[in-house]
Amino acid sequence: MQTITQNPAQQRIGPLAALPEFVAELGADPAAVLAGTGLAPSDLRPDLFVSLALFDLLLERAAAVTGRSDIALQLGLRQSFRALGPIGRLMSHAPTLGDALTDFVSFQITNSRGAAAYLHRMGDDVAFGIGIYDREFRSSQHAYDLSIAVGCTLVRELTNGQVEPTEILLMRREPADPASYRPLARCPIRFNQAQCCLILPARSLGHRLTTGDPVARAQLLNELNARLLHAPWGVA
């Protein structure tokens, strides 16, 4: 498996592994997205790590060559927990949704050294979101669109559609066609916000997952804890 280097802004490709195929489906040339990067479509394996800047550049180019400003959003909606690798599998074996989301927050550092996930209690609600902290990363609608779409897909998939956000907060400006964001969830979607997150009812964290498996979960916890203990950046 590809390992993270000392670059502080390395990011696991994950959902972008499906980008060349998606670009081709939209009638554009995937080679135009990868030109000059030294990467071929076959290189975009889910466990490949690249700089966060290159990760975002690929999304920007894909939007340009396809003419789809919402391409990151649509790509995120096509994902499953498997796109997150061991973290996704760990989440699927959690006993409750709250445990699954806590797993993601706890082990996100094994997938990214430029972004952090959070789960914050706010009265009767919780905010499940992500923030990019890499100092050299410029604000990008694409990276956040992808993150929020993957988040919605995760919650929906893990709970078989029984839990949905009550609000979605996005840092980006309201697009010319906000209707393209409707597939995220059946709830208000608020643009120009100070954070990028899903607002979930706090009671939903107790939702039992039908895919919970304590044996498989214990094995994956050992694997991920070992990665943290031996990682060059230390333990989260």
Side-chain angles (χ1 to χ4, degrees):
M1 178 179 296
Q2 183 104 4
T3 57
I4 298 177
T5 72
Q6 293 295 322
N7 188 322
Q10 291 284 298
Q11 171 71 42
R12 184 177 179 275
I13 281 287
L16 259 60
L19 186 61
E21 180 182 358
F22 190 31
V23 167
E25 285 180 20
L26 294 174
D29 184 3
V33 177
L34 298 171
T37 65
L39 296 172
S42 59
D43 294 326
L44 297 190
R45 305 177 308 279
D47 284 325
L48 174 71
F49 281 83
V50 298
S51 71
L52 189 56
L54 176 55
F55 186 93
D56 190 58
L57 175 64
L58 295 177
L59 288 172
E60 285 191 356
R61 285 187 175 180
V65 302
T66 61
R68 293 288 299 267
S69 62
D70 65 342
I71 192 167
L73 183 80
Q74 299 304 325
L75 182 65
L77 290 171
R78 293 161 64 101
Q79 305 303 313
S80 79
F81 66 84
R82 294 174 182 83
L84 299 177
I87 297 177
R89 297 198 301 275
L90 178 67
M91 293 175 72
S92 73
H93 294 316
T96 68
L97 176 62
D99 291 310
L101 299 185
T102 300
D103 288 340
F104 182 78
V105 171
S106 300
F107 293 104
Q108 161 70 3
I109 195 172
T110 65
N111 275 0
S112 176
R113 293 183 63 197
Y118 59 87
L119 186 65
H120 292 167
R121 182 72 181 256
M122 304 185 305
D124 293 332
D125 298 316
V126 292
F128 174 54
I130 197 161
I132 298 173
Y133 59 82
D134 173 36
R135 289 179 295 178
E136 297 183 3
F137 182 79
R138 60 184 178 80
S139 180
S140 164
Q141 72 178 52
H142 301 299
Y144 281 116
D145 277 359
L146 179 65
S147 297
I148 207 72
V150 169
C152 286
T153 302
L154 281 176
V155 171
R156 186 177 299 117
E157 183 179 21
L158 291 171
T159 66
N160 295 315
Q162 295 183 49
V163 173
E164 288 203 359
T166 56
E167 285 184 278
I168 295 174
L169 307 184
L170 293 170
M171 297 173 68
R172 60 158 296 153
R173 295 178 180 176
E174 183 169 348
D177 181 18
S180 63
Y181 286 73
R182 284 286 95 211
L184 284 173
R186 295 173 294 180
C187 68
I189 299 173
R190 310 196 187 283
F191 300 93
N192 299 305
Q193 301 299 304
Q195 62 191 110
C196 178
C197 66
L198 309 181
I199 304 298
L200 300 165
R203 65 179 182 277
S204 69
L205 298 185
H207 181 89
R208 304 292 298 183
L209 304 189
T210 59
T211 53
D213 183 334
V215 175
R217 177 174 168 78
Q219 293 174 341
L220 283 163
L221 278 171
N222 287 335
E223 176 186 338
L224 286 165
N225 278 317
R227 289 191 187 191
L228 287 180
L229 288 171
H230 295 95
W233 60 86
V235 178

